[in-house]
Amino acid sequence: CMIYPDEPLDSENYTIFKKKITPEEIEYLKNDKGSIGSRFIEHFVAGKEHVVLFKKNHGVMMSTHPSETITNQEFINIAFGDVIIFGLGLGMIVFPLLSDKDVKSITIIERDPGVIEMVGKIISEHDHKKKVKIVQSDAWRFRECFVEIRRGHRDKGGGEAL
């Protein structure tokens, strides 16, 4: 939460703001057995602040509440070398990797120029070693190209199966 300013950031299609989890929201998640939040309910603390990426006329796209931070942590723990991330969101995966000495570079594939504009600016302010490259592209389309490249590489005796 410290990376994002206290005042909301606003663009044409998005708002990023800080919000405290209420006891009512925790109670709602406890009762919503199908939600990802209900699986991590013991990690939610009433009054704890988190950051929300809100797409106007759509809803919450991402937040820093426990159901998202916990699910991202496994990737953060194993990342090394040249890392590719599909989707920028709030950059929750990116920020810890910036200071990870085992991560050489971080390429992020993000479709939405509005997210790139808002979150990319904040990432670049913290990317002192210039590890990050953001590519505006559809992750599914980019992934198909990536898989084909890796397959071709593997067929020539190198690479790994995906």
Side-chain angles (χ1 to χ4, degrees):
C1 284
M2 301 300 285
I3 290 170
Y4 287 93
D6 290 330
E7 296 301 316
L9 300 173
D10 206 31
S11 75
E12 184 179 336
N13 295 316
Y14 292 91
T15 301
I16 296 174
F17 58 92
K18 291 184 177 179
K19 179 183 183 320
K20 291 186 179 180
I21 298 173
T22 66
E24 293 80 19
E25 288 170 316
I26 292 173
E27 194 59 37
Y28 174 80
L29 288 171
K30 282 181 185 175
N31 296 321
D32 187 13
K33 301 298 182 202
S35 78
I36 191 166
S38 67
R39 294 195 332 236
F40 299 98
I41 197 66
E42 69 275 7
H43 298 282
F44 283 81
V45 177
K48 183 173 182 186
E49 190 171 73
H50 63 280
V51 178
V52 175
L53 173 63
F54 184 86
K55 186 171 184 179
K56 296 173 183 173
N57 299 316
H58 183 76
V60 174
M61 300 298 291
M62 184 175 206
S63 72
T64 60
H65 63 66
S67 64
E68 299 202 51
T69 57
I70 292 169
T71 56
N72 287 328
Q73 192 61 50
E74 183 177 332
F75 179 83
I76 293 167
N77 292 345
I78 64 170
F80 70 95
D82 298 310
V83 175
I84 188 166
I85 299 170
F86 295 113
L88 180 54
L90 286 166
M92 290 185 341
I93 291 175
V94 179
F95 289 114
L97 297 181
L98 290 175
S99 60
D100 187 329
K101 64 181 178 11
D102 294 327
V103 172
K104 250 178 34 177
S105 70
I106 306 164
T107 301
I108 304 161
I109 311 305
E110 173 56 54
R111 177 181 63 199
D112 194 308
V115 173
I116 294 170
E117 178 187 333
M118 290 186 80
V119 180
K121 179 180 174 184
I122 294 168
I123 288 173
S124 67
E125 291 170 3
H126 292 84
D127 184 16
H128 306 294
K129 295 180 182 172
K130 305 298 178 206
K131 289 184 178 185
V132 176
K133 176 181 178 184
I134 300 174
V135 177
Q136 184 184 350
S137 182
D138 185 282
W140 293 108
R141 191 178 202 181
F142 191 91
R143 182 183 176 277
E144 289 170 12
C145 295
F146 183 71
V147 168
E148 288 304 314
I149 290 168
R150 295 294 291 168
R151 282 190 182 131
H153 184 68
R154 186 182 68 233
D155 292 343
K156 294 179 182 171
E160 297 175 26
L162 298 176

